[in-house]
Amino acid sequence: MENVWLSGNLSDLPFPFLLFRIWNSRMSGILKIKTEAGHAVDFKNGDMCVPAERFRDGDGLVRLKERTSGGDPDIEAAKCLPDLMDTGKFTPEEMWKTLRAITSEDLMPLFDLPGADYAFHSEHCWEEHEILFYVSLLDLILDGIRRMTNYALIAEHLPDPDTALRPLFPDYVKRIPFNASEIYLYHVIKEEEAVAEIYASSQLGRKETQKTLYTFLALGVVGLPHTNIKNHDQAEISQADIYQLLESFNHPFETIYKYISREIGPASLNVLEKCLEDTKPSLSPLFQNLRFDPDGRIEINSVPITGAGNQGRRLKQALVQDLNEILAAEMLAVKKILGNAHEAVLIKNLGKVLGWN
């Protein structure tokens, strides 16, 4: 069974792409990544938040004191953030700037990380008075990829040279502070179709062009027209494989539908159909005629999978991406209609269905 994006490995969904999914789906909770440092990142309504708890004691406080001490005995003796402020050595603005810098530095290694298990948990959401500050995920993704040095990881997650790309023009694109070279390449993509043609036209050089394309893909400002999917790794996927993939996603779809039905009754199917219609503009042609059955499951015969055997792994990746988009839309609908508490309960139920816990 395919894992949905709420749980998985960064080798399949790299860190910046995962952050964007959380932001785009307005998720609240904690993202835990199994690294040696045991990374945990907090979110509220899709924004990354940093609670005071992260610097109350332990490694967070130690790092803060190391960053600000300079051998000062008063700072060394501080046992909490208020103690540090009471030394009179910092203004609140200076301290918050330091806290932001430490938070950013902690996350930068995750952008170059080729793989690690992760899971998103929404059982807990911080209250506003517990949060020190928020971090813009769009800015964080942009800054994190700019600092990346693992060009092999970047290249691995880019489409093949003969694949076409197209600008997506999302409404949030004006909020992203692209620099001059990134804006330049965005205009190149508008004029050139295939990735190889973009490489040939770009004045940035191969590595920086690939990094910028990776940035655009992670932020959802450039996408793949799925009709041009080709098999370049000589891996085949049969109709039976696709059927099994669709069925694996039907389990969480049915769970969501049953949960909504218990709360709002007969209108539940209308909610799912509205989610589907709102999502269709970003889905591949395979899903343009998709329908749900009376149990909230995808009707298999509404997805044209005939002749899929020679399409290869790229087709499977496209299917998984589309199915995850639909799933995220349904979860966002639950959040909007029923609220955070119901969202948390539903994610816990999905965890049982998919074997996450």
Side-chain angles (χ1 to χ4, degrees), residues 257-271 294 338:
Y257 174 71
K258 288 181 178 178
Y259 187 92
I260 299 176
S261 295
R262 288 197 297 269
E263 299 299 324
I264 66 174
S268 303
L269 198 56
N270 292 335
V271 170
L338 301 178

Side-chain angles (χ1 to χ4, degrees), residues 78-316:
K79 298 185 181 301
C80 59
L81 182 57
D83 286 351
L84 284 172
M85 293 302 302
D86 284 342
T87 64
K89 307 294 174 66
F90 320 97
T91 66
E93 291 79 8
E94 290 171 335
M95 178 58 71
W96 259 241
K97 183 177 180 180
T98 301
L99 293 170
R100 283 181 176 275
I102 292 173
T103 299
S104 177
E105 290 169 6
D106 283 345
L107 296 178
M108 287 302 111
L110 297 176
F111 285 87
D112 277 320
L113 194 62
D117 289 331
Y118 71 83
F120 190 92
H121 306 275
S122 61
E123 288 84 359
H124 176 75
C125 183
W126 298 102
E127 299 295 333
E128 290 297 329
H129 69 276
E130 300 174 303
I131 297 171
L132 294 174
F133 55 87
Y134 286 89
V135 175
S136 165
L137 281 189
L138 296 179
D139 290 351
L140 177 65
I141 292 169
L142 185 62
D143 184 45
I145 297 178
R146 284 173 177 170
R147 298 190 193 190
M148 286 181 67
T149 59
N150 190 344
Y151 286 94
L153 171 63
I154 290 172
E156 179 183 352
H157 290 279
L158 290 177
D160 295 308
D162 59 351
T163 303
L165 291 178
R166 61 183 176 92
L168 299 180
F169 307 108
D171 56 4
Y172 56 83
V173 69
K174 293 182 180 179
R175 297 166 50 188
I176 305 174
F178 289 127
N179 61 30
S181 65
E182 291 158 347
I183 294 171
Y184 155 74
L185 192 68
Y186 192 63
H187 289 298
V188 171
I189 295 170
K190 291 180 183 179
E191 296 299 319
E192 306 293 349
E193 184 169 297
V195 172
E197 294 170 357
I198 296 170
Y199 291 156
S201 298
S202 173
Q203 301 301 303
L204 296 179
R206 181 83 169 200
K207 286 185 176 180
E208 290 304 317
T209 298
Q210 288 184 324
K211 180 185 284 190
T212 306
L213 284 179
Y214 185 81
T215 301
F216 291 159
L217 290 166
L219 289 169
V221 300
V222 166
L224 303 170
H226 298 282
T227 52
N228 291 338
I229 295 168
K230 296 181 180 179
N231 175 28
H232 294 282
D233 40 32
Q234 298 182 351
E236 293 189 354
I237 177 171
S238 67
Q239 293 184 44
D241 292 331
I242 294 178
Y243 179 87
Q244 183 178 7
L245 174 61
L246 293 173
E247 278 297 294
S248 72
F249 274 84
N250 266 335
H251 292 299
F253 287 142
E254 184 176 11
T255 299
I256 293 172
Y257 174 71
K258 288 181 178 178
Y259 187 92
I260 299 176
S261 295
R262 288 197 297 269
E263 299 299 324
I264 66 174
S268 303
L269 198 56
N270 292 335
V271 170
L272 298 189
E273 290 172 347
K274 179 64 165 57
C275 287
L276 182 59
E277 288 304 313
D278 290 344
T279 310
K280 275 186 178 180
S282 63
L283 301 180
S284 73
L286 289 170
F287 285 88
Q288 293 306 307
N289 295 317
L290 183 144
R291 299 184 303 275
F292 290 116
D293 68 16
D295 293 320
R297 297 163 58 88
I298 290 175
E299 290 186 6
I300 303 297
N301 60 7
S302 69
V303 181
I305 60 176
T306 303
N310 62 358
Q311 296 292 316
R313 192 180 68 178
R314 293 292 182 185
L315 173 61
K316 185 177 181 180

